[in-house]
Every structure is written in C-alpha cells, then in structure tokens.
Amino acid sequence: MHTVGFLGLGVMGTPMALNLARAGTPLLVWNRTPHRAEPLRAAGATVAGSPAEVFAGADTVVLMLANDRATDAVLERGTPAFAGLAAGRTVVNMGTTAPEYSRALAADLRAAGGRYVEAPVSGSRVPAEQGRLVAMLAGEEKDVEDVTPLLAPLCHEVFACGPVPNALLMKLAVNLFLITQVTGLTEAFHFAERHRLDRRLFLDVLDAGPMASAVSRMKAPKLLHGDFAVQAAAADVLMNNRLIAEAARARGVASPLLDACHDLFAETVALGHGGEDMVAVLRALEDRTRRL
C-alpha cells in the first residue's frame, strides 16, 4: 500500500487516523501540537515534522483540520509553495468548512495539478473510535472512486454526492437535524427536571417509544449523569450552526429552528462551556430559566 498522509489529530482526527493505522495503512502524520501524534507513533505511524514533509512522502493526504484558516495554512495556499505541495497529489478534505470555500479550494488544487475529494463525515468521537462514521464524498468521479476504499476502516457507509460542494451541503443538512434534535432532547430533559420528574424514568420512557434514536441513546446518559466530556464540542456545533445558516441565507432558505439553536449555543460558549459536549447547551437553558 502507498503511504497516506494525515494532518489534524484532534478529537475526531486521532481515532480516525488510529483506525487507518490499525488496518495496516502506512501513515505519515502531523499535528500542530506535537504530543497529540504520540498515540499514532505507538500504533506504527511515522510522525512528520511539518505538513510539507507529509506532502513530500505521500500521494494522498487526508485533512481533518479545524477550519478553513488551518487548511490554508498547512497547504501554504496563496504562496508559491502551494503548487509544489498540490501537484500530483490527492487532497481528501474530511473537515467541515463553508461549501463555497471548498469549491474554491478544489479549483485551486486542480489548477496546480492536484486532485481534490471533499469527504466530510457524520458522527462524533465514539463512532469515530468504532469506525462507524458515515462519509459523504464529492469530486471528480474517478477521484471519488479511488479514495473510497481508503475510508473503509473509518466508515460503515460512504455516499457519493456528486460534484463539490455537494458533500458539504449534505453534511450541513444532516447537521441541521442533529443540532435541533439534540437541543430538543436537552430542553425536554430540562423541562422534566424542573418538574421534579424522575429523570431516569423520563429517559426510559423516551427510549421505549418512537422518539428513540442512536443519538438520543448516546446523549441521554450524558444528561442523566452530568457528563459533559466532549464527543462533539459546543464550540464546534456553534461553528457548524453558523455554516448552515450562511448556506441557508445564500439560497434564501428560512431556518427558524436552527436560528433558535444558534442563540442557545452562542450563550453556551459565552458561559464558558464551548469545550464541553454539545449537551452542555443545558447550561444556556438553565441560565435562561434562572432569568425568567
């Protein structure tokens, strides 16, 4: 197998890269904070000293970075070095960015002689650890076909979505449902708690009925036990919320539920809970209740 580069070893990137390494994929990895690469070194990956070193040693490079600024930085986009990194390589962008940013990046990479596959995923830290993510791919048909087998250790489903930026638009549509669903679950939990209902009984009733889902079964125990350890950080949810709202406005689409969630997650972050799991939106709901 050819060596694959992997840039970005955060909450999602680390388990994803580990699954690739454990599947026998030769990996060359880099992270801005070097100590986060140590689990990958222990799993047999080679740790690079710079993004340029990764591009020099891999024809396919996976990006799992926080935002467009981080992506531009590792690609040295806008500098003469960009063409040297891009030429002859396939960049697989698995992070979540604005669709229009991804479209422009794809055009720049192709102009520099590279290939680009947009590959955002649906799922949080636990599905990432389990190799149960859902990937949405967009790009040239041949490039998508070539990249799909690489993602097998990470994903239990891979969907081809057509040209860039359709995969990101699909991801944003999915995330709109996720954000409103988890916010609704948290508000219902808060309602039950303030009425002094047995919280475990409430969640048991929920789990027994048609409202139950994989998401509720993952998030409900966290609410019950006050466990805000991050699976999907509230700050990242706020960023996703903003991206969805911008895409909605660009098409003249109303998003009233999303807009209400945006306010709540902005309050959650402002209260100091941005690094906690998205169920920490409970803190914003509690704060509003105190101010009634």
Side-chain angles (χ1 to χ4, degrees):
M1 295 178 66
H2 296 293
T3 297
V4 173
F6 199 105
L7 305 179
L9 302 172
V11 171
M12 294 288 289
T14 294
M16 291 165 67
L18 283 171
N19 282 335
L20 286 173
R22 290 164 181 161
T25 306
L27 276 187
L28 181 58
V29 305
W30 175 86
N31 192 70
R32 184 169 56 89
T33 308
H35 77 268
R36 288 192 173 177
E38 291 310 309
L40 272 299
R41 192 194 305 276
T46 301
V47 179
S50 67
E53 186 180 336
V54 174
F55 278 90
D59 291 334
T60 299
V61 179
V62 177
L63 308 181
M64 191 61 185
L65 299 166
N67 50 46
D68 52 4
R69 294 184 301 279
T71 301
D72 284 347
V74 301
L75 291 171
E76 299 187 60
R77 191 170 174 220
T79 75
F82 174 77
L85 296 179
R89 293 176 179 83
T90 299
V91 172
V92 183
N93 186 12
M94 302 192 76
T96 302
T97 63
E100 288 309 310
Y101 167 83
S102 186
R103 192 199 303 270
L105 177 59
D108 286 353
L109 285 165
R110 286 195 294 268
R115 295 171 296 277
Y116 180 76
V117 175
E118 189 180 79
V121 293
S122 181
S124 57
R125 178 178 56 82
V126 172
E129 292 171 345
Q130 296 170 342
R132 300 287 295 172
L133 296 169
V134 175
M136 293 145 278
L137 273 56
E140 298 293 331
E141 186 175 347
K142 177 63 164 58
D143 299 336
V144 168
E145 290 175 357
D146 289 345
V147 164
T148 298
L150 170 66
L151 304 182
L154 312 180
C155 306
H156 75 104
E157 291 279 3
V158 176
F159 293 93
C161 298
V164 174
N166 281 7
L168 274 165
L169 288 168
M170 188 72 73
K171 165 71 182 288
L172 295 182
V174 169
N175 275 7
L176 196 162
F177 181 43
L178 171 67
I179 292 168
T180 55
Q181 181 183 26
V182 173
T183 305
L185 169 66
T186 305
E187 185 173 332
F189 180 86
H190 181 58
F191 175 90
E193 184 176 49
R194 290 306 167 114
H195 279 278
R196 296 186 175 86
L197 298 178
D198 183 317
R199 297 175 303 163
R200 184 181 295 277
L201 180 60
F202 161 67
L203 294 176
D204 286 345
V205 172
L206 176 68
D207 195 46
M211 309 300 289
S213 68
V215 170
S216 69
R217 287 172 178 145
M218 181 179 296
K219 297 303 185 183
K222 295 179 74 63
L223 288 166
L224 180 63
H225 300 296
D227 171 18
F228 299 112
V230 67
Q231 292 174 341
D236 291 337
V237 172
L238 179 60
M239 180 198 74
N240 275 264
N241 201 310
R242 176 180 57 79
L243 292 176
I244 301 165
E246 289 173 355
R249 300 302 172 265
R251 275 284 178 175
V253 175
S255 55
L257 293 179
L258 180 77
D259 297 343
C261 292
H262 182 278
D263 291 344
L264 285 166
F265 277 96
E267 291 165 26
T268 303
V269 172
L271 288 166
H273 303 287
E276 298 175 2
D277 190 73
M278 65 188 299
V279 295
V281 71
L282 177 67
R283 300 310 188 202
L285 293 165
E286 292 171 338
D287 186 63
R288 287 195 183 191
T289 294
R290 279 193 294 270
R291 291 187 280 113
L292 283 178

